[in-house]
């Protein structure tokens, strides 16, 4: 089959939830990629917030949608045993306090969804307020569970 | 403001489309992250196709949605000048033949959208057929524009 070559490479690289157990390094690589994409899209919102980029409600909404779509995908990047295996800023406390970590992750999912929803309305003041709530949700988790050096 | 610390870090790390010019290494890191997430979600579909994982139409649909959402985000990871600046498998031909590259990228966007749409119907035969079309769209671009070693 024509897809055989490609899919073999894909499967070899990404052992995934649907099949074999996830390798720690694959999970770490995955979650870092997801955070990277979130940062890529959250960055321009922060720039608008600070007046470093022109206010653009449509662009804000487009990127907020992406953050909201990615947020619920983070948690599967933290399977048991992925506290080590590659360079990671994730603190071992995540797996010791997984219930609390999930609460914080759920809050980020909720706040980013609200941000995407509010942005569809185009009300600048509301968007700015909800941006702060979303950034606070990021920070609450990073402060406790990320080694930021 | 409470988000100041976070957003400063975010902005420092990810120079983005809304503001300053994108640094090549940031673009390369971004696109590799996007491909990584696509692979993470496409992998389990390939495993189902090969019978390496049990057929699960709902899981297939959930992951096909992610691939379809991510596909249109790839192109902004290939700004002019990002043919070097960090390890990359992207061939310089991409920027020499950007119109053709965009055609191939558009086809992947289209095929992955069709895959997500078909998957919502839950018809296994149609999903399998459209998976092949989507994988072929990946392969058409990789064959020409990616150094796969």
């Amino acid at each position: 089959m024509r897809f055989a070559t490609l899919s073999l490479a894909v499967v070899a690289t990404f052992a995934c939830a649907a099949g074999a157990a996830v390798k720690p390094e694959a999970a770490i690589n995955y979650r870092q990629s997801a955070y990277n994409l979130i940062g890529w899209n959250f960055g321009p919102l922060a720039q608008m917030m600070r007046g470093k980029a022109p206010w653009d409600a449509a662009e804000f909404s487009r990127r907020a949608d992406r953050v909201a779509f990615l947020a619920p995908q983070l948690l599967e990047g933290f399977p048991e045993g992925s506290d080590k295996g590659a360079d990671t800023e994730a603190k071992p406390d995540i797996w010791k306090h997984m219930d609390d970590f999930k609460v914080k992750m759920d809050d980020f999912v909720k706040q980013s969804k609200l941000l995407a929803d509010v942005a569809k309305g185009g009300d600048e003041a509301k968007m700015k307020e909800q941006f702060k709530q979303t950034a606070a949700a990021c920070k609450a988790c990073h402060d406790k569970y990320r080694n930021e050096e």
Side-chain angles (χ1 to χ4, degrees), chain A residues 3 6 45 56 62 64 90 97 100 102-104 109 113 136:
Chain A
F3 76 90
L6 172 75
L45 307 190
D56 181 336
R62 193 170 72 91
H97 306 288
D100 178 62
K102 284 180 179 172
V103 167
K104 288 183 169 46
V109 170
K113 172 75 166 58

Side-chain angles (χ1 to χ4, degrees), chain A residues 63-96:
Chain A
R63 294 194 176 273
D65 273 348
R66 292 181 179 180
V67 173
F69 190 86
L70 291 161
Q73 300 181 44
L74 288 170
L75 198 59
E76 72 185 65
F78 294 89
E80 195 65 40
S82 67
D83 54 326
K84 47 183 173 281
D87 277 348
T88 175
E89 294 173 338
K91 291 185 181 174
D93 271 357
I94 290 170
W95 293 271
K96 288 180 196 151

